[in-house]
Amino acid sequence: QTVVTQEPSLTVSPGGTVTLTCAASTGAVTRAYYPNWFQQKPGQPPRALIYSATNRHSWTPERFSASLLGGKAALTVSFVQPEDEADYYCLLYYNGARVFGGGTKLTVL
Amino acid sequence: EVQLVQSGAEVKKPGESLKISCQGSGYSFSDYWIAWVRQMPGKGLEWMGIIYLRDSDIRYSPSFRGRVTISADKSISTAYLQWSSLKASDTAIYYCARLVDIVATPEIDYWGQGTQVTVSP
């Protein structure tokens, strides 16, 4: 089964920009992996942010953008707000299976 | 408004059986997929499996195949996750999520609120 790897933790200052990445043990992440990104705050269910690698849901703030970068899926948060502090998970689809990454704890400090 | 409403928290003993539910509303239930996701205490999200409500096509993650059963009753817009013999290691929050064919493969848009399952002697 594919192993999906994310940075365990990242810290960013309010107003700054941070990029989270998502790598697959099977090789370069492409659009065929349909990368999804989710945000989860303490005590809450996850919330979908990004689908099909680069597309925001209607409720996703424009400061969240996603791309494929250097063989990985990437989520960039620009003009970071205090409320962006959360855990972020990617989900990859590969060979009929879906696997979550371990998650990135984003601290806004 | 799309909503996925999950059944309430459960406290069970090892060896007992359990069936939790996820009821969809605000959309045509049969046209979508429902996934189940586990989150153990203090840990990340784990994909368990998925069911297509139109034809009950079910696909399990290898890690959960044989350990849980996913099913659905379209007549009441409800998906289920069940165990025949719980273990303490099944203690977790279980989320359901709706998947929709947005581009070319089903992808998650909405999540349920989660069901806390506690298994303790």
Side-chain angles (χ1 to χ4, degrees):
Chain A
Q1 182 164 306
T2 306
V3 176
V4 179
T5 302
Q6 300 180 242
E7 297 87 358
S9 63
L10 291 169
T11 300
V12 61
S13 299
T17 296
V18 64
T19 297
L20 292 66
T21 67
C22 174
S25 62
T26 45
V29 176
T30 66
R31 287 191 177 274
Y33 282 73
Y34 298 94
N36 282 202
W37 289 92
F38 304 94
Q39 177 192 63
Q40 187 180 32
K41 297 182 179 179
Q44 296 184 18
R47 180 175 74 135
L49 293 176
I50 301 287
Y51 65 93
S52 291
T54 60
N55 300 283
R56 292 185 203 90
H57 287 280
S58 59
W59 52 80
T60 304
E62 287 190 7
R63 63 179 183 275
F64 291 89
S65 62
S67 63
L68 297 172
L69 195 66
K72 299 180 184 180
L75 176 71
T76 298
V77 189
S78 306
F79 307 107
V80 170
Q81 305 296 304
E83 61 265 29
D84 297 334
E85 184 163 292
D87 294 326
Y88 291 84
Y89 295 92
C90 65
L91 174 66
L92 300 182
Y93 171 83
Y94 180 76
N95 212 19
R98 289 172 173 83
V99 181
F100 282 102
T104 297
K105 183 176 183 61
L106 182 65
T107 300
V108 181
L109 204 59
Chain B
E1 179 194 7
V2 173
Q3 283 195 308
L4 296 173
V5 178
Q6 297 186 231
S7 50
E10 301 274 1
V11 179
K12 292 288 190 179
K13 291 182 167 32
E16 291 186 333
S17 62
L18 176 64
K19 192 173 189 177
I20 62 175
S21 65
C22 168
Q23 185 171 41
S25 63
Y27 69 100
S28 179
F29 191 72
S30 297
D31 290 341
Y32 295 84
W33 298 73
I34 292 288
W36 287 98
V37 174
R38 182 175 79 175
Q39 188 166 39
M40 298 177 76
K43 302 297 184 182
L45 304 176
E46 298 176 87
W47 186 271
M48 300 179 72
I50 187 172
I51 181 168
Y52 183 41
L53 285 315
R54 184 174 293 280
D55 61 7
S56 292
D57 180 14
I58 302 170
R59 303 173 192 181
Y60 293 98
S61 165
S63 303
F64 292 92
R65 188 176 293 120
R67 282 287 302 132
V68 297
T69 301
I70 293 171
S71 62
D73 184 341
K74 288 186 294 186
S75 68
I76 54 172
S77 301
T78 300
Y80 300 99
L81 179 67
Q82 68 181 89
W83 296 258
S84 59
S85 180
L86 287 160
K87 301 178 180 179
S89 57
D90 292 318
T91 295
I93 298 174
Y94 293 87
Y95 293 102
C96 65
R98 187 183 84 159
L99 289 88
V100 57
D101 272 319
I102 307 176
V103 174
T105 199
E107 298 179 84
I108 290 176
D109 56 1
Y110 290 93
W111 291 77
Q113 84 276 18
T115 295
Q116 173 70 56
V117 173
T118 303
V119 184
S120 180

